[in-house]
Amino acid sequence: MAHYMAELVLTDRPVLVIGGGAVARRKINGLLSTGARLTVAAPELDPRLLEQAAAGRFHHRAESYHPALLDAVPRWALVFAATGENGLNREIALQAKEAGLLCNSADGVEVGGFLVPAMVRRGPVAVGVATEGNSPALSRLLKERLDAWLEPGWG
């Protein structure tokens, strides 16, 4: 199945990230510059995320995942399942799908609603590398090569 790549305008749109560890941190850091109204649901946050929450960069709900999180109003534009637990991420993705929400699961593409490409940014210039979820290692390798090739001034 071919995927459709797009740049999403998330300014002032509610986005939910479930998880507070290293994987969630990567997702959150990628989202912070978008202007999304970011909510992070996790009983605990890693120290760097705690600092960002304290600085008001996102809203932290200090709670474990429960299905009612998906029922927020206004409706989530996107959901990210990044708990560090494969089974729980899959459960979140399946429940999000049932609720008609697009969910990115850190542990697989088969149940989520979207993938996030490996990105290289130079100001407004962005290059994404995707393999339809088949080879994250290849995406990472190509990203590293593009990062070395794209000169800093291109942005």
Side-chain angles (χ1 to χ4, degrees):
M1 169 179 26
H3 294 147
Y4 185 82
M5 290 187 73
E7 288 188 281
L8 301 176
V9 178
L10 295 175
T11 304
D12 293 325
R13 308 269 323 259
V15 173
L16 175 65
V17 176
I18 303 165
V23 174
R25 185 179 65 243
R26 286 193 304 274
K27 304 291 184 183
I28 291 163
N29 287 336
L31 288 162
L32 285 173
S33 65
T34 68
R37 285 182 291 148
L38 193 56
T39 298
V40 177
E44 297 178 10
L45 296 176
D46 91 1
R48 287 176 271 186
L49 289 178
L50 271 173
E51 291 173 12
Q52 291 174 321
R57 306 271 330 262
F58 59 82
H59 173 67
H60 177 221
R61 291 179 64 157
E63 58 189 290
S64 297
Y65 171 75
H66 51 88
L69 280 171
L70 300 177
D71 297 328
V73 176
R75 193 166 168 84
W76 302 113
L78 298 174
V79 175
F80 290 82
T83 67
E85 298 177 34
N86 295 355
L88 180 56
N89 286 343
R90 182 175 176 77
E91 179 183 334
I92 293 166
L94 286 170
Q95 291 173 356
K97 184 176 183 178
E98 289 172 10
L101 298 168
L102 287 175
C103 180
N104 172 263
S105 174
D107 294 301
V109 300
E110 64 278 350
V111 294
F114 70 99
L115 302 171
V116 178
M119 297 297 300
V120 176
R121 293 191 183 277
R122 298 290 185 272
V125 175
V127 179
V129 179
T131 60
E132 295 187 356
N134 293 312
S135 180
L138 177 59
S139 293
R140 189 171 36 256
L141 174 67
L142 290 172
K143 173 190 171 182
E144 290 168 1
R145 290 184 180 183
L146 285 167
D147 191 40
W149 180 74
L150 288 173
E151 298 171 15
W154 283 44

